[in-house]
């Protein structure tokens, strides 16, 4: 690149299909770097230079922003589609329609008075001094729209414009003072994120596609402290990453930060904060989310230091025997931890029982694993400090802890709050002179002996270190204490999870290669060893698990694991494949399944095989095995274990066995496990007890069957709901039928009533109408007929073409002979339209007694032998002279014309195919010096076609007077339908010729049987000359085609259809080998059956020897 900076890179994109990387420079060059050949090719250039290059998510389009403030949309092959000015005076196609009553002049202005209606809009301030002024481009996830943020030359402020794929302006953002350069469109498509500097704060703001603002949240920095370099959504739109830098820094590099934000219940949470410090080698160069793994973040620093973070959701909650603090759930929110004590309060997030204020952003929360102190918390912040909060030993209120939704307004809160006991600094794995590794410590675990476990990064990428930390004696006048490193254990592998059992005190580590290790921390010299079963074999999960736990099964300690694909393992044995979450409670295992059931297993006297066998049983636990309220609590906690915010929603321990409130009602409301799911459903939809308690009270008052129906309907178990509603009596049948129609549960509904009842008939009537809407006429007719609805069945059978069944329905309806005759004549007309002349003749002869019309239909359909039978049956030999003989002579002429035309077309297409193949062979020979990957697919060669050379691809175009043609999506679809065109020189002309040649062979093969019957009739009536001529022409055509098939469908062509170069069984190596050996002489087609030769049936004896 030039040293003056004119050639700096303004855009880079990996193109996997082309095995290349596309690079755009500020000088205006677009370079294609082939990763296989290591060659760099300039595929285009813009005279005015480039400021941005952005590819669509499907990599079918690329958008360029030029130095003259224009946008150029191009195809993936760098063919210009259109060019537009960035700055447009019009709003766009989505311009709002003013109805008048929303005018400023007609609105109420309060204390400001009427003058406010005539006040001019405040001028928009120009961009910040640090804004680089370059356009920013972001695509919607589906690639249908693209947003461009650019600095307006008139106001100096940024505006966001939304364009479609054809570069037609859709909308322009409203004037936004202080709008900054960062821009990112949420992949799900509903919001565009940017940042805005306001008079007193710094916000992340969101815009809709129509350009209007829609929500914001404030960054935890003072105004003017930081600048936002980039905003990045992850692939599934659940996390927003923000890359920030300090602004005012003298004589040193600025600090860099990466923050991860999520939203829940209309509140934005800062979940993780990564501080990269101010060293130059730690400055961020690139930040990128992985496209395949939505929770993987890639970070590249200036010193070629690369970091990869894999995130996962977890729930921080207390567990143990302490009934006072067993149901505490913690939620990270920036420099606060929001704690909800569900034992005492049920509040919706982001409200909480109390909040803990830290000095730095919080990254991890760990509850004490000692069951007697299960409410105590250790909080690890971004500055590598651990703050320990305990219960019960301090009489002075801690200023860092304050009540949330349960305190104030003169009420005394009955809930106990913790206090800050100590703050420790963790110095392991850190050195001020080394490269910073933010969040280098993970999986913080607070062991029962008040020591800590953390996992750090080893010397190499695939190595970890397990640190066991203990507190050192307090030093007087020290602001913070330090943790002593008791033991540092290297781990050969990447630790992806760590769990500690509060009962057995065992610690288990899961590695990336799925091996399980056990840490014996209580030994005099702690050791790390493989987890082994009772028979001594090492345990290894078949797949990585996102949730692990330790439990005793039949007295043996085992590790449980659950993958992100619902596969549940006990040690290395897969027990079930439909588990969505699990929890252990004393000697019980609770699991929730994909079928919305909760199962409880007692682990005391059960083997792994028994658990595997019983995992499909959805029966609820007995009331004696586990308290119903505890089942509900554990199942409900685990049902939302994947998200912090949702966990804060759950009223976990408000369900106590002694309570006569909600839990007292649940025992009698249609079995424990079903109420657990209903309970979960209700709390997912609403968090306010004033809303869900009336609903539960209403259920309590209902009749038993109707109560169970209501519960199953809310759980969307419509089949079971119908079963209960059918038992509620005829007064509820209209509601029953409406539910059947809404959920299309017709088959299940028919099983609930005897076929002799009126309800069965009404359901069948509705089912038949539904099938008719789906154009399944015959199935609808069967349903109607079975229920005795014969009139509708007759119409449906008519529409389906089942004329025999239609006549049966007419018999059931007692049709008279005249009415049956009229019906038969009507159906005969429809059969003639469908070319079913023989069946139409049966109707006319048998049901209308019109045998003359029947004979005429048979002659029209060339059913010669049946026509002869009727002529002789009714003694109408005169018809032989008037109709039959003229008909067979006319048929002979038609067949001759058809065969001659097929012969002529076949020869013409065969000769053209040979010429096309010769041209392709010559073209490939002439291009052997060029290493073009699409050489074997060149199918555009004819006498007038030209060869595409490397120099043609290196096109240089200007923004001003270049001719640009655009192809609409409608035209593209039309072109795809016509990809096999017979026009000379057209793409895939040889495939079009193969297609039409195959159709000719099949057409002639089809008429052999018809011609054989026609020949017999011609001979029968003495037309030997005409019959001989017809037989001779057919024999010549068949002989021509038989000898031509091996020439057209050559052995090489047939072999390529059997072993295609491209296809589901192909590999990258096999495809490249086929290209290099020049074996792909046929283009890649989507219809490989065209390469298979048609077959001629030689077993059919169609010739008459008496004519030879």
């Amino acid at each position: 690149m030039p040293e003056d900076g004119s050639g700096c890179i303004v855009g880079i994109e990996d193109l996997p299909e082309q095995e290349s990387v596309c690079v755009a420079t500020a000088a205006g060059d677009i370079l294609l770097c082939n990763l296989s050949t290591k060659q760099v090719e300039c595929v285009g250039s813009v005279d005015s230079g480039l400021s941005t290059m952005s590819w669509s998510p499907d990599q079918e389009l690329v958008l360029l922003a030029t130095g003259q403030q224009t946008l150029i949309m191009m195809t993936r092959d760098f063919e210009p589609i259109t060019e537009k000015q960035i700055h447009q005076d019009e709003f766009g196609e989505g311009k709002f329609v003013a109805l008048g009553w929303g005018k400023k002049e007609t609105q109420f202005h309060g204390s400001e008075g009427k003058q406010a209606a005539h006040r001019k809009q405040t001028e928009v301030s120009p961009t910040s001094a640090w804004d680089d002024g370059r356009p920013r481009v972001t695509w919607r996830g589906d690639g249908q729209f693209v947003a461009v943020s650019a600095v307006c030359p008139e106001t100096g402020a940024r505006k966001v414009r939304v364009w479609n794929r054809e570069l037609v302006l859709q909308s322009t953002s409203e004037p936004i003072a202080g709008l900054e350069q960062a821009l990112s469109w949420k992949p799900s498509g509903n919001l565009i994120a940017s940042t805005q500097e306001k008079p007193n704060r710094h916000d992340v703001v969101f815009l809709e596609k129509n350009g209007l603002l829609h929500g914001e949240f404030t960054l935890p920095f003072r105004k003017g402290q930081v600048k936002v370099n980039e905003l990045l959504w992850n692939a599934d739109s659940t996390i927003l990453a923000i890359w920030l830098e300090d602004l005012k820094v003298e004589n040193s590099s600025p600090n860099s930060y990466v923050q991860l934000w999520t939203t829940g219940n209309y509140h934005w949470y800062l979940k993780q904060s990564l501080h990269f410090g101010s060293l130059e080698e730690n400055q961020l160069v690139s930040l990128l989310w992985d496209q395949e793994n939505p929770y993987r973040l890639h970070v590249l620093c200036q010193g070629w230091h690369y970091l990869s973070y894999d995130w996962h959701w977890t729930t921080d909650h207390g567990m143990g025997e302490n009934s006072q603090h067993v149901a505490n759930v913690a939620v990270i929110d920036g420099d606060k931890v929001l704690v909800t004590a569900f034992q005492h309060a049920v509040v919706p997030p982001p409200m909480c029982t109390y909040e803990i204020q830290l000095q730095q952003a919080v990254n991890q929360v760990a509850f004490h694993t000692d069951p007697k102190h299960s409410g105590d918390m250790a909080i690890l912040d971004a500055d590598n400090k651990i703050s320990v909060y305990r219960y019960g030993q301090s009489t002075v209120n801690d200023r860092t802890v304050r009540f949330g939704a349960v305190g104030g307004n003169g009420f005394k809160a009955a809930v106990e709050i913790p206090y800050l006991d100590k703050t420790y600094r963790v110095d392991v794995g850190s050195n001020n002179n080394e490269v910073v590794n933010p969040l280098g410590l993970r999986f913080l675990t607070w062991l029962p002996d008040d020591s800590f476990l953390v996992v750090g990064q080893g010397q190499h990428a695939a190595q970890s270190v397990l640190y066991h930390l203990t507190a050192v004696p307090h030093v007087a006048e020290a602001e913070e204490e330090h943790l002593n490193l008791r033991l540092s254990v290297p781990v050969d592998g990447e630790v992806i999870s760590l769990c500690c059992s509060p009962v057995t005190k065992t610690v288990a580590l899961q590695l990336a290669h799925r091996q399980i290790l056990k840490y014996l921390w209580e030994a005099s010299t702690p050791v790390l060893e493989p987890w082994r079963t009772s028979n001594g074999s090492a345990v290894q999960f078949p797949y990585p698990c996102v949730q692990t736990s330790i439990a005793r099964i039949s007295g043996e300690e085992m590790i449980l694991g659950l993958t992100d694909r619902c596969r549940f393992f006990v040690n290395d044995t897969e027990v079930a494949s439909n588990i969505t979450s699990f929890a252990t409670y004393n000697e019980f295992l609770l699991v929730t399944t994909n079928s919305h059931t909760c199962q409880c297993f007692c682990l005391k006297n059960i083997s792994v095989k028994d658990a595997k066998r019983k995992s499909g049983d959805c029966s609820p636990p007995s009331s004696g095995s586990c308290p119903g309220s505890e089942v509900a609590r554990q199942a409900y906690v685990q049902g939302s274990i994947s998200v912090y915010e949702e966990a804060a929603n759950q009223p976990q321990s408000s369900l106590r066995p002694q309570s006569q409130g909600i839990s007292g009602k649940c025992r009698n409301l249609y079995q424990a496990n079903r109420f657990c799911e209903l309970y979960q459903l209700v709390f997912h939809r609403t968090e306010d007890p004033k809303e869900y308690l009336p609903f539960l009270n209403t259920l309590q008052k209902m009749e038993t069957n109707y109560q169970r129906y209501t519960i199953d309907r809310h759980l969307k178990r419509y089949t079971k709901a119908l079963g209960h509603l059918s038992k509620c009596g005829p007064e509820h049948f209209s509601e029953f039928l409406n539910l059947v129609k809404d959920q299309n549960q017709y088959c299940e509904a028919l099983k609930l009533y005897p076929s002799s009842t009126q309800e069965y008939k009404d359901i069948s009537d509705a089912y038949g109408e539904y099938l008719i809407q789906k154009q399944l006429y015959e199935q609808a007719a069967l349903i109607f007929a079975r229920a005795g609805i014969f009139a509708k069945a007759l119409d449906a059978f008519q529409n389906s073409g089942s004329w025999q069944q239609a006549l049966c329905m007419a018999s059931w309806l007692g049709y008279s002979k005249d009415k049956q005759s009229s019906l038969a004549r009507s159906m005969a007309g429809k059969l003639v339209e469908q070319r079913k002349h023989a069946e139409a003749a049966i109707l006319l002869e048998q049901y209308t007694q019109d045998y003359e019309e029947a004979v005429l239909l048979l002659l029209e359909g060339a059913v010669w032998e049946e026509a002869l039978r009727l002529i002789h049956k009714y003694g109408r030999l005169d018809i032989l002279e008037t109709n039959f003989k003229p008909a067979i002579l006319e048929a002979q002429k038609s067949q001759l014309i058809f065969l001659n035309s097929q012969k002529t077309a076949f020869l013409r297409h065969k000769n053209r195919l040979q010429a096309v193949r010769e041209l392709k062979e010559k073209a490939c020979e002439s291009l052997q010096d060029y290493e073009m990957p699409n050489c074997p697919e060149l199918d555009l060669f004819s006498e007038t076609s030209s060869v595409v050379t490397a120099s043609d691809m290196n096109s240089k175009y200007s923004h001003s007077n270049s001719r640009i043609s655009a192809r609409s999506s409608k035209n593209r679809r039309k072109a795809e339908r016509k990809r096999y065109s017979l026009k000379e020189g057209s793409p895939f002309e040889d495939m079009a010729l193969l297609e039409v040649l195959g159709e000719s062979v099949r057409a002639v093969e089809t008429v052999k049987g018809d011609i054989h019957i026609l020949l017999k009739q011609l001979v029968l009536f003495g037309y030997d000359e005409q019959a001989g001529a017809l037989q001779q022409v057919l024999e010549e055509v068949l002989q021509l085609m038989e000898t031509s098939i091996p020439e057209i469908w050559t052995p090489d062509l047939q072999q390529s259809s059997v072993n295609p170069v491209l296809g589901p069984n192909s590999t990258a190596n096999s495809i490249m080998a086929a290209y290099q050996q020049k074996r792909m002489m046929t283009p890649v087609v989507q219809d490989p059956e065209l390469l298979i030769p048609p077959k001629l049936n030689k077993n059919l004896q169609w010739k008459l020897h008496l004519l030879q």
Side-chain angles (χ1 to χ4, degrees), residues 198-354:
K198 295 184 177 180
N200 57 346
R201 66 180 192 265
H202 203 168
D203 283 359
V204 173
V205 296
F206 301 101
L207 294 89
E208 297 178 347
K209 186 172 78 72
N210 57 17
L212 297 180
L213 287 170
H214 185 93
E216 74 278 329
F217 66 85
T218 301
L219 295 172
F221 297 97
R222 299 185 307 274
K223 180 181 182 297
Q225 180 181 352
V226 296
K227 67 174 181 177
V228 179
N229 288 335
E230 293 289 347
L231 297 173
L232 298 101
W233 292 98
N234 70 331
D236 64 359
S237 303
T238 56
I239 305 175
L240 178 63
I242 307 179
W243 171 12
L244 310 102
E245 283 185 8
D246 285 341
L247 271 180
K248 299 178 180 178
V249 178
E250 296 181 0
N251 302 325
S252 65
S253 300
N255 288 303
S256 299
Y257 315 90
V258 173
Q259 296 183 342
L260 304 184
W261 292 76
T262 66
T263 184
N265 218 16
Y266 302 99
H267 177 77
W268 280 90
Y269 300 87
L270 173 56
K271 287 300 182 187
Q272 295 290 316
S273 184
L274 310 181
H275 294 186
F276 286 83
S278 59
L279 291 179
E280 184 176 354
E281 56 267 29
N282 293 332
Q283 297 300 303
L284 268 66
V285 174
S286 180
L287 186 70
L288 188 68
W289 284 106
D290 195 274
Q291 294 302 311
E292 296 182 1
N293 185 345
Y295 294 104
R296 177 170 294 167
L297 183 66
H298 303 281
V299 180
L300 183 63
C301 302
Q302 280 192 3
W304 292 106
H305 185 51
Y306 167 75
L307 299 172
S308 176
Y309 292 92
D310 283 348
W311 307 97
H312 70 277
W313 294 102
T314 187
T315 302
D316 297 324
H317 61 92
M319 55 190 302
E321 300 174 354
N322 190 327
S323 60
Q324 184 72 10
H325 310 123
V326 71
N328 286 3
V329 176
V331 177
I332 296 177
D333 187 12
D335 58 358
K336 298 178 183 177
V337 175
L338 312 181
V339 182
T340 300
F342 285 113
Q343 183 80 15
H344 304 278
V346 179
V347 292
M351 293 193 295
C352 58
T353 306
Y354 60 87

Side-chain angles (χ1 to χ4, degrees), residues 114-131:
K114 296 182 178 179
Q115 298 300 322
H118 306 286
R119 188 178 301 160
K120 292 185 178 179
Q121 187 175 354
T122 305
E123 293 185 0
V124 181
S125 58
T127 58
S128 303
W130 54 266
D131 193 312

Side-chain angles (χ1 to χ4, degrees), residues 12 55 83 309 337 510 561 570 705 753 762 830 858 890 944 949 973-974 989 1023-1024 1033 1045 1077 1093:
I12 187 169
W55 286 75
E83 183 177 9
Y309 292 92
V337 175
Q510 179 189 188
V570 176
N705 285 317
Y753 290 96
D762 291 343
K830 293 182 179 179
L858 292 170
E890 183 64 29
T944 58
T949 64
R973 290 193 297 269
K974 184 177 179 182
E989 183 188 355
Y1023 299 113
D1024 292 4
V1033 172
I1045 284 177
Q1077 295 172 13

Side-chain angles (χ1 to χ4, degrees), residues 374-400:
S374 60
D376 296 351
M377 288 173 287
I379 303 171
L380 178 64
D381 61 25
D383 200 23
N384 268 9
K385 293 182 181 179
I386 297 178
S387 301
V388 175
Y389 283 81
R390 299 182 183 268
Y391 280 94
Q393 298 178 1
S394 176
T395 58
V396 180
N397 289 334
D398 193 331
R399 292 184 178 181
T400 63

Side-chain angles (χ1 to χ4, degrees), residues 12-28:
I12 187 169
E13 182 80 9
D14 178 32
L15 305 176
E17 292 186 6
Q18 302 182 30
E19 296 184 352
S20 302
V21 174
C22 183
V23 178
T25 68

Side-chain angles (χ1 to χ4, degrees), residues 924-977:
C924 281
E925 291 174 0
S926 64
L927 289 179
Q928 284 182 354
D929 294 336
Y930 294 97
E931 293 185 4
M932 297 179 63
N934 59 340
C935 171
E937 299 185 29
L938 293 174
D939 48 10
L940 300 176
F941 298 102
S942 66
E943 290 85 347
T944 58
S945 63
S946 60
V947 177
V948 179
T949 64
S951 60
D952 295 326
M953 298 176 65
N954 186 10
S955 58
K956 188 176 182 71
Y957 56 89
S958 172
H959 74 282
S960 56
N961 56 2
S962 58
R963 293 178 58 85
I964 300 171
S965 61
R967 171 178 284 184
S968 66
S969 58
K970 179 179 179 182
N971 290 337
R972 283 196 300 269
R973 290 193 297 269
K974 184 177 179 182
E976 289 175 0
R977 289 195 299 268

